[in-house]
Amino acid sequence: MALDPDEILGALDDDQRAVALATRGPICVIAGAGTGKTRAITHRIAYAAAIGTMDPQKVLALTFTARAAGEMRARLRSLGVPTVAARTLHSAALKQLLFFWPTVFGGRTPDLITSKSGFITEAIRRAGLTSSLSITNRELMRDIASEIEWAKVSEVAPEDFLNEISQRVTKPRVNAEQLVQLYVAYESIKKQELAIDFEDVLLLCAAMVEEEREVRERIQNQYRYFTIDEYQDVSPVQQRLINAWLGTRNDICVVGDPAQTIYSFAGATPVFLNTFTQRFPDAEVIRLSTGYRSTPEITFAANSLLRSGSMGQELTAINGHGSKPLVQGFKDESAEIAGVSREINELLAAGTEPQEIAILARTNNQLKAMEREFIREAIPYQVRNTERFFDRTDVRDFLKHVRQASVIPSEGSEWIDELRSIAQPFLTGESIDGIAALLHLGRELDSDPQFQPKSLRGYLREVEDRVSQNNPPTMPVITLATLHAAKGLEWERVFLIGASEGILPLTNSATLTDAILAEERRLFYVGMTRAKADLHISYRGEPSRFIREAALSGI
């Protein structure tokens, strides 16, 4: 049941209320970290629906992660507008592409690639590069996949790839000529196998809407009002698709923060957010600046960093005062990890819940070192990085064993014991958090009376649902995350490790351009603003320049 309009507005502060009252576009909301942007835009949709300005069934609310889309749907349901389509850009495009495929493209619907690794492995073989590129090196495979994804979302064809790389600020870690060969081979293999990847979904959907009048008219009739969250992260191909959906209309509300643009390597650019008023001269610009997440002490440091880099919206903290951010220096990585581990053990012993703590780092390698220490100290943890959970080799191998075992029916109390037995060999390696999370999910399902059938097959059905939603299982443990993966999340206590020159910013002085430095500064800002109550920053060797810029020197 829809809420009363006054009730919807009553839950908002003055700036958020201004967003909700701006029921017709174009609207541009500049929202700093922790300012309640999701509350503002969901209440805007609900308020517009309540007063009859917007038909909720003709609203398309877009964001960038399945988790954020799920949160948006839950909030809209609680506000009495459950019919709003709240999706990721990719899922909205895929739904449309699959629906219209038989009439527009004809033939068999292509298979969607959820992991590029197999195709890239074959591309390396076909390009004759097995002697110089190791197909067992996961980081290398991830780098190659990232470069191909960057090219496609930036709409760079294979024949133009080499020239574009030469002009890029951030150079690839893989040989440029080899990348071109792999890009060509990868696209050829996909075509041969009648498969598409997530970037193809965006490209094909955009082309379909642009070129097929009947499709365009049906989609534009279905969706008349657009809300786009995290607008600073759109890529050129995503903006092209948004333009195709919108057409000549202007009922669009975008929300973003230039200070949180940290995915340039993946094709994201704040240019569309920064030039929104050029494309829509009559747009209303509203700024959210009241910070609800962090203490004034953390907010002051974050604002100092913003001023230093001339970026983003400064925040006003309204929470109670807390402790100043703590900065600690160590002689080397081993000493830093031991020191952080010691502090965390003290927190846990004093009664802090592990899920209130996060360790954030610039690179995956830093997290690996922390993992080893946590395993040695028996500290409960889970890794969260930009790699899709269900694409991890250990996760895929474990689930393959579960599928094989599920052929033999074993319903009842013994199924969870069987799951434990399958998991046991996987819990002896260096990275055990993924399997531990899947095992934890099994225990939760087994204790849920609604979970039926209680069997490995029932468990697999739940896991497959989570795969399709990119919704990995979690545990009540300490989070280890890269700064990129931490965006959009928050914890009571954050340990930002490796805040040293050469690590954050991750470069050397010879390659440190203004653009790279600005991106690294934004990463540091994102890391700082994940903390609600306590922020610990540590470094080894020379402290990062960002510590000084955030007015943290000498604390």
Side-chain angles (χ1 to χ4, degrees):
M1 188 177 80
L3 299 182
D4 177 78
D6 290 337
E7 188 179 354
I8 294 169
L9 294 178
L12 306 175
D13 67 25
D14 290 345
D15 293 337
Q16 294 167 349
R17 190 176 296 112
V19 174
L21 290 170
T23 57
R24 301 302 296 265
I27 307 296
C28 179
V29 181
I30 305 299
T35 55
K37 64 182 175 64
T38 305
R39 170 182 287 266
I41 58 177
T42 52
H43 280 66
R44 174 182 182 266
I45 294 169
Y47 178 74
I51 65 172
T53 305
M54 226 182 258
D55 179 350
Q57 296 190 65
K58 292 186 179 294
V59 174
L60 183 56
L62 299 164
T63 188
F64 281 80
T65 68
R67 183 192 61 80
E71 180 185 350
M72 197 178 286
R73 284 193 296 272
R75 293 199 189 203
L76 289 166
R77 277 196 304 272
S78 70
L79 291 168
V81 279
T83 58
V84 172
R87 302 190 179 106
T88 65
L89 267 157
H90 281 95
S91 66
L94 180 62
K95 186 179 178 70
Q96 294 175 13
L97 188 64
L98 295 181
F99 181 82
F100 289 107
W101 188 277
T103 54
V104 174
F105 300 97
R108 177 171 74 83
T109 304
D111 297 322
L112 178 64
I113 301 170
T114 57
S115 171
K116 290 183 173 65
S117 57
F119 283 75
I120 291 174
T121 297
E122 181 59 26
I124 290 172
R125 292 194 179 103
R126 289 200 185 182
L129 297 173
T130 51
S131 60
S132 56
L133 299 175
S134 169
I135 60 175
T136 60
N137 186 327
R138 287 175 62 187
E139 283 198 16
L140 173 68
M141 302 295 275
R142 192 160 51 235
D143 286 346
I144 294 169
S146 295
E147 289 297 331
I148 292 174
E149 288 162 9
W150 173 86
K152 298 184 74 170
V153 300
S154 302
E155 300 190 270
V156 176
E159 58 269 22
D160 301 320
F161 195 24
L162 199 59
N163 183 55
E164 288 292 331
I165 289 174
S166 68
Q167 298 178 42
R168 265 172 49 185
V169 172
T170 306
K171 304 300 181 186
R173 286 180 286 188
V174 184
N175 177 277
E177 286 77 11
Q178 291 180 337
L179 277 175
V180 175
Q181 291 178 266
L182 294 174
Y183 187 6
V184 172
Y186 171 81
E187 291 297 311
S188 174
I189 295 165
K190 278 201 298 95
K191 186 175 180 180
Q192 177 184 316
E193 296 293 328
L194 193 58
I196 57 174
D197 57 27
F198 285 108
E199 293 72 47
D200 292 326
V201 169
L202 299 175
L203 288 161
L204 290 170
C205 188
M208 178 181 72
V209 178
E210 289 167 348
E211 298 171 14
E212 300 290 331
R213 190 183 70 177
E214 184 179 343
V215 171
R216 181 168 61 253
E217 288 176 351
R218 289 182 65 179
I219 291 174
Q220 290 182 353
N221 183 59
Q222 173 64 50
Y223 298 117
R224 294 178 176 270
Y225 314 99
F226 295 84
T227 297
I228 305 168
D229 194 10
E230 303 288 1
Y231 193 59
Q232 78 280 347
D233 285 336
V234 296
S235 66
V237 71
Q238 288 168 337
Q239 184 61 50
R240 177 184 164 193
L241 180 57
I242 291 166
N243 291 343
W245 283 334
L246 188 63
T248 58
R249 301 164 298 176
N250 67 357
D251 264 316
I252 180 171
C253 173
V254 301
V255 190
D257 180 7
Q260 295 189 67
T261 302
I262 59 172
Y263 292 106
S264 297
F265 67 91
T269 171
V271 69
F272 302 113
L273 175 64
N274 294 336
T275 61
F276 188 80
T277 54
Q278 294 175 27
R279 286 175 288 130
F280 298 98
D282 57 339
E284 182 175 359
V285 179
I286 303 169
R287 298 179 181 274
L288 302 182
S289 58
T290 303
Y292 293 96
R293 177 183 297 152
S294 305
T295 61
E297 288 77 9
I298 295 171
T299 301
F300 174 82
N303 283 343
S304 297
L305 190 66
L306 285 179
R307 284 193 295 273
S308 175
S310 302
M311 59 184 194
Q313 175 69 47
E314 288 195 31
L315 307 177
T316 301
I318 64 168
N319 297 334
H321 284 276
S323 57
K324 290 182 178 180
L326 176 67
V327 177
Q328 290 179 288
F330 296 89
K331 65 176 183 178
D332 55 31
E333 183 182 44
S334 296
E336 181 183 23
I337 287 173
V340 170
S341 177
R342 185 166 55 250
E343 285 189 56
I344 287 173
N345 267 323
E346 290 173 0
L347 287 172
L348 295 176
T352 300
E353 295 292 334
Q355 61 267 30
E356 295 180 359
I357 304 171
I359 313 290
L360 306 184
R362 178 63 180 84
T363 69
N364 284 306
N365 281 339
Q366 291 171 272
L367 296 183
K368 289 288 184 190
M370 205 78 226
E371 265 193 274
R372 289 191 289 270
E373 177 71 8
F374 276 16
I375 291 172
R376 191 178 70 80
E377 290 283 317
I379 297 174
Y381 75 93
Q382 185 170 22
V383 176
R384 187 184 191 109
N385 57 31
T386 51
E387 182 183 13
R388 290 170 69 93
F389 177 86
F390 293 107
D391 287 347
R392 290 171 52 166
T393 303
D394 57 339
V395 168
R396 293 168 70 183
D397 287 348
F398 169 68
L399 292 177
K400 182 173 71 175
H401 280 73
V402 175
R403 285 190 192 93
Q404 292 169 348
S406 70
V407 176
I408 304 169
S410 58
E411 294 190 18
S413 59
E414 69 274 13
W415 86 270
I416 191 68
D417 293 327
E418 191 170 356
L419 187 69
R420 287 193 190 96
S421 297
I422 296 170
Q424 205 55 47
F426 293 89
L427 295 171
T428 57
E430 183 179 293
S431 298
I432 62 172
D433 65 300
I435 308 305
L438 287 165
L439 194 54
H440 180 73
L441 173 64
R443 289 193 292 266
E444 285 186 327
L445 292 173
D446 192 50
S447 61
D448 182 357
Q450 301 298 317
F451 171 60
Q452 296 295 333
K454 290 190 184 299
S455 66
L456 291 179
R457 286 185 178 180
Y459 172 78
L460 281 172
R461 191 178 305 151
E462 170 67 21
V463 170
E464 291 302 334
D465 284 345
R466 286 173 171 268
V467 171
S468 66
Q469 300 166 24
N470 189 26
N471 178 26
T474 57
M475 298 185 294
V477 296
I478 293 169
T479 298
L480 302 183
T482 62
L483 291 168
H484 285 102
K487 187 169 176 291
L489 304 175
E490 62 184 27
W491 296 270
E492 288 291 323
R493 303 170 185 273
V494 166
F495 289 79
L496 177 50
I497 65 173
S500 311
E501 282 294 304
I503 301 176
L504 187 60
L506 183 62
T507 186
N508 57 59
S509 57
T511 61
L512 190 58
T513 64
D514 289 344
I516 291 175
L517 182 61
E519 181 102 346
E520 295 289 309
R521 182 181 289 110
R522 292 193 293 269
L523 267 176
F524 195 90
Y525 174 79
V526 166
M528 292 175 66
T529 55
R530 299 312 94 194
K532 296 165 72 174
D534 285 302
L535 175 62
H536 295 239
I537 299 174
S538 59
Y539 65 91
R540 61 266 197 169
E542 184 183 356
S544 168
R545 67 192 71 192
F546 301 143
I547 293 176
R548 181 183 66 255
E549 291 180 5
L552 292 172
S553 298
I555 293 177

